[in-house]
Amino acid sequence: MSNKAIARVREAEQEAASIRESARAEARDRVEACEKECVVAAARATDRTAAELSARLQEMRKRTEALVEQSRTEVEGDMEAMEEAARERMREAVKQIEWEMFDSCQ
């Protein structure tokens, strides 16, 4: 091989090495940029998800409070009805006891 051919091969090898190094540097830069973008995107997604979950939790609290209030109202109504029924039965029980005492005294 002639010196000229050898010099061309060496130039081509040097150019290839330069291209490889440039490609590696560009790949590193792209990976860094992607990692940064991913960190930002992950933070946004986390914030958005946290906000959505917070809103859903607030809605669930409101619904739970409404159900508790509804149950309380229903129970209060039931209690009043039970108290009235107990009063009626108490009157009957007192009358029954009075009649039994009256009967036993005669």
Side-chain angles (χ1 to χ4, degrees):
M1 215 185 252
S2 71
N3 286 340
K4 214 176 193 184
I6 292 174
R8 282 177 137 175
V9 169
R10 285 188 181 147
E11 275 181 34
E13 286 175 348
Q14 287 176 350
E15 188 177 334
S18 175
I19 291 171
R20 279 194 302 270
E21 186 55 39
S22 176
R24 283 188 191 111
E26 186 178 342
R28 275 192 303 269
D29 292 344
R30 286 185 180 185
V31 167
E32 282 181 26
C34 284
E35 287 175 346
K36 288 177 183 177
E37 287 177 24
C38 287
V39 166
V40 170
R44 282 186 195 142
T46 300
D47 291 344
R48 186 174 54 248
T49 301
E52 289 173 5
L53 290 175
S54 178
R56 288 175 68 186
L57 180 60
Q58 241 177 352
E59 181 61 29
M60 293 293 268
R61 281 184 180 143
K62 286 179 185 176
R63 289 170 56 189
T64 301
E65 289 171 5
L67 287 172
V68 166
E69 187 59 35
Q70 178 184 0
S71 295
R72 183 176 293 129
T73 302
E74 289 173 2
V75 167
E76 287 173 355
D78 290 346
M79 283 177 32
E80 289 172 9
M82 291 170 94
E83 286 176 356
E84 183 60 34
R87 277 190 220 108
E88 286 295 319
R89 289 186 181 148
M90 186 63 97
R91 287 184 206 128
E92 285 295 318
V94 169
K95 285 181 185 177
Q96 189 84 26
I97 292 170
E98 287 174 349
W99 278 107
E100 285 181 16
M101 288 175 60
F102 182 73
D103 286 342
S104 69
C105 288
Q106 285 186 359

